[in-house]
Amino acid sequence: MHPLTSEHSTQTQSEVLRAPFPKLLTGKIALVMGGAGAIGAATSRLFVQAGAKAIVTHLETEKDTRAAREIVAELSGAHCEALPADIADTQSLLALKQVIEQRYGRLDVLINAAGYTVPVPHGDLDALTDDLIDRMFTVNWRGQFAAIRTFAPLLKASGDGLVVSLSSIAAFTGVGSSIAYCAAKAGIDVMTKALGRALAPQVRVLAVSPGVVDTQFVPGRGEDFNAKVAASTPLGRIAEADDIAAAILACATMLTYSTGHTIQVDGGRAL
């Protein structure tokens, strides 16, 4: 019998035809740190649509609490829950872990979407104060690492754990809201590589690296800035939050043989 028509080969072809992509997330628990923000909210929506339960974290401010509750109401409490946590406060992360263990007994996906920045011209060295640098790294690097450190045991126990951290093309272009922000995002890319090795094979670690996104994340950026960037971006527009959320979802549903890498979602901006 010809090898291509053998019983073994036929099974192989059939298995290829039934390749489990996109991977189903039914029953999975996804924790979205910074879930009250634009990208975090968009990501929560897509994960719920894919069958997962989304836990959305928020700061205990009136604005963030209201935003998180609106997301839960939109997605139905059966599929989404809002819990307070501050990624810059490890004790609040440990408290969050305890709640998740008690209520769900598992965690499958950790999405690090929390972030902080203040625009500082790169040439104005005095404006980038020690306090601002410390805050930038506390939220954008140390907090991301602390979240991974806190939830690594649950993710390992899943046997199919995933971490996706939000980076930025500022990490390698050196063009961003401040030099400290660029440096912190470069740290995310290095951390992703290091933890991709350290946490394998039970946990995959990836990062998604946007260019400019149409959100209110960077104070002071408006329509004029967005239009200028869109005109110089090969795909002719800046990203929507959904563009970034789709890439994060793909890390869970499509890129199942990838770890330690940073995925650019920038419309060709960095070319």
Side-chain angles (χ1 to χ4, degrees), residues 33 84-97 150-151:
M33 300 298 302
D86 182 353
I87 202 165
D89 179 2
T90 296
Q91 290 305 311
S92 82
L93 296 176
L94 293 172
L96 177 63
K97 177 188 175 186
T150 298
F151 294 103

Side-chain angles (χ1 to χ4, degrees), residues 28-164:
K28 299 286 189 179
I29 306 296
L31 173 61
V32 186
M33 300 298 302
I39 293 175
T43 301
S44 299
R45 292 186 188 98
L46 290 188
F47 269 75
V48 167
Q49 291 171 12
K53 168 94 177 191
I55 302 170
V56 175
T57 75
H58 61 90
L59 296 174
E60 292 189 272
T61 65
E62 181 180 351
K63 177 183 176 181
D64 285 350
T65 300
R66 181 173 63 252
R69 287 175 178 171
E70 288 174 356
I71 296 165
V72 172
E74 174 190 341
L75 298 178
S76 165
H79 305 290
C80 184
E81 178 180 12
L83 294 173
D86 182 353
I87 202 165
D89 179 2
T90 296
Q91 290 305 311
S92 82
L93 296 176
L94 293 172
L96 177 63
K97 177 188 175 186
Q98 186 175 21
V99 172
I100 291 173
E101 284 180 315
Q102 291 173 348
R103 294 187 186 178
Y104 304 104
R106 64 182 295 171
L107 182 65
D108 303 287
V109 182
L110 168 63
I111 299 158
N112 273 325
Y116 168 78
T117 196
V118 173
V120 178
H122 289 202
D124 190 352
L125 305 189
D126 291 332
L128 196 57
T129 64
D130 290 350
D131 288 344
L132 186 52
I133 292 169
D134 290 346
R135 179 64 178 167
M136 205 79 71
F137 273 86
T138 295
V139 176
N140 295 309
W141 194 90
R142 194 196 77 189
Q144 316 294 318
F145 178 81
I148 297 171
R149 180 181 61 203
T150 298
F151 294 103
L154 283 174
L155 294 168
K156 287 181 178 179
S158 166
D160 185 29
L162 170 66
V163 174
V164 184

